[in-house]
Amino acid sequence: MNKTELIAAVAEKAGIAKKDAEKAVNATLDAITETMVAGDKVQLVGFGTFETRRREARTGRNPRTKEAFEIPASTVPAFKPGKALKDQVNK
């Protein structure tokens, strides 16, 4: 499912216009993104948690030349599914 299909599904399930559903989906994604950029996490009980995780700097190796190089530290987005979501997926 891509974003357009998600907007259509939200519009159908909520019984609203696609334009309104698009605004709602975009606002939700923007709010989640802004919260994660600020370093906080978003917990949706039963669905999961969106958060950021810190990756330390490490040494990588080019598989073709075996040459070592430094991979810089970074912050990456992460999603941890909630129990209810896991249960639904594993039915």
Side-chain angles (χ1 to χ4, degrees):
M1 175 180 279
N2 61 31
K3 189 173 179 181
T4 304
E5 293 167 341
L6 176 63
I7 290 169
V10 169
E12 184 179 324
K13 286 192 180 271
I16 58 176
K18 282 187 183 179
K19 200 170 219 173
D20 294 334
E22 181 177 10
K23 287 180 186 176
V25 168
N26 287 336
T28 302
L29 296 176
D30 288 345
I32 291 171
T33 301
E34 289 169 7
T35 302
M36 290 176 69
V37 166
D40 297 329
K41 60 183 175 179
V42 178
Q43 286 184 296
L44 304 173
V45 176
F47 184 73
T49 303
F50 295 92
E51 61 188 350
T52 57
R53 294 188 182 143
R54 184 84 179 133
R55 282 193 182 162
E56 298 300 321
R58 61 194 189 279
T59 302
R61 192 166 299 279
N62 183 330
R64 193 173 283 183
T65 65
K66 308 295 186 215
E67 182 182 340
F69 62 96
E70 197 63 29
I71 300 172
S74 63
T75 303
V76 295
F79 176 74
K80 181 179 176 189
K83 184 178 180 339
L85 178 60
K86 286 182 197 176
D87 292 344
Q88 285 290 324
V89 171
N90 288 317
K91 272 190 177 178

